[in-house]
């Protein structure tokens, strides 16, 4: 029997797009404003600063407009009966499947910006150095329930996956 690897079932929360838009805006807008001010004040640097402002505005628009939409489309996760399955990446797809028996630590985290948006990150860790997955951009309650469910299942799992 040939098995095909399908995408995980769930997208992250749609508010993750807002979370991913904020860093390019926080960095890009001050650069654009500074370049415009310098161009207005220093005639010798006018055209180089106009070029900097245009490039920064384009990078900001790409980083805040296109990248979050693209990233949202491919960031997926699923907690199945036997494994946690994640997919991330917006140029290169990275898929990780962690068997329930291999899970050692389940953690949720919500930095202040996550809390403001009602989001959290679910982290699942194994003993392997390559075995940690972080699912960024989950609804905080969904992350809490998934962590509780995984914790209960790992404690109830009697098998050894080594």
């Amino acid at each position: 029997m040939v098995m095909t690897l399908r995408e995980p079932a769930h997208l992250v929360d749609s508010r993750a797009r807002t979370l991913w838009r904020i860093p390019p805006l926080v960095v890009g807008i001050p650069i654009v404003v500074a370049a415009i001010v310098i161009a207005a004040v220093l005639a010798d640097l006018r055209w180089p600063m106009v070029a900097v402002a245009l490039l920064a505005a384009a990078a900001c628009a790409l980083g805040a407009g296109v990248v979050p939409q693209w990233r949202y489309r491919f960031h997926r996760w699923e907690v199945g009966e036997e494994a946690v399955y994640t997919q991330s990446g917006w140029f290169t797809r990275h898929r990780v499947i962690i068997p329930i028996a291999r899970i050692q630590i389940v953690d949720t985290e919500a930095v202040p910006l996550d809390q403001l948006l009602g989001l959290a990150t679910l982290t699942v860790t194994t003993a392997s150095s390559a075995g940690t997955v972080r699912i960024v951009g989950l609804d905080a309650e969904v992350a809490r329930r998934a962590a509780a469910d995984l914790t209960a299942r790992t404690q109830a799992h009697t098998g050894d996956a080594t």
Side-chain angles (χ1 to χ4, degrees), residues 17 26 33 44 74 91 138:
R17 291 178 290 200
V26 166
V33 170
D44 292 346
F74 294 105
F91 278 126
L138 295 179

Side-chain angles (χ1 to χ4, degrees), residues 34-59:
I36 290 171
V37 169
I38 293 170
V41 173
L42 302 174
D44 292 346
L45 295 176
R46 180 162 294 133
W47 293 114
M49 287 297 107
V50 167
V52 167
L54 290 173
L55 286 172

Side-chain angles (χ1 to χ4, degrees), residues 5-6 10 21 35-36 46 51 73 77 80 83 88 112 122 135 139 144 146 159:
L5 190 60
R6 62 171 175 74
H10 308 291
R21 283 184 180 111
I36 290 171
R46 180 162 294 133
R73 183 175 169 195
W77 67 283
S88 60
L122 176 67
I135 307 169
D139 176 81
R144 187 196 65 72

Side-chain angles (χ1 to χ4, degrees), residues 52 71 86 106 139 144 153:
V52 167
R71 190 174 173 187
T86 65
V106 179
D139 176 81
R144 187 196 65 72
R153 281 206 254 162

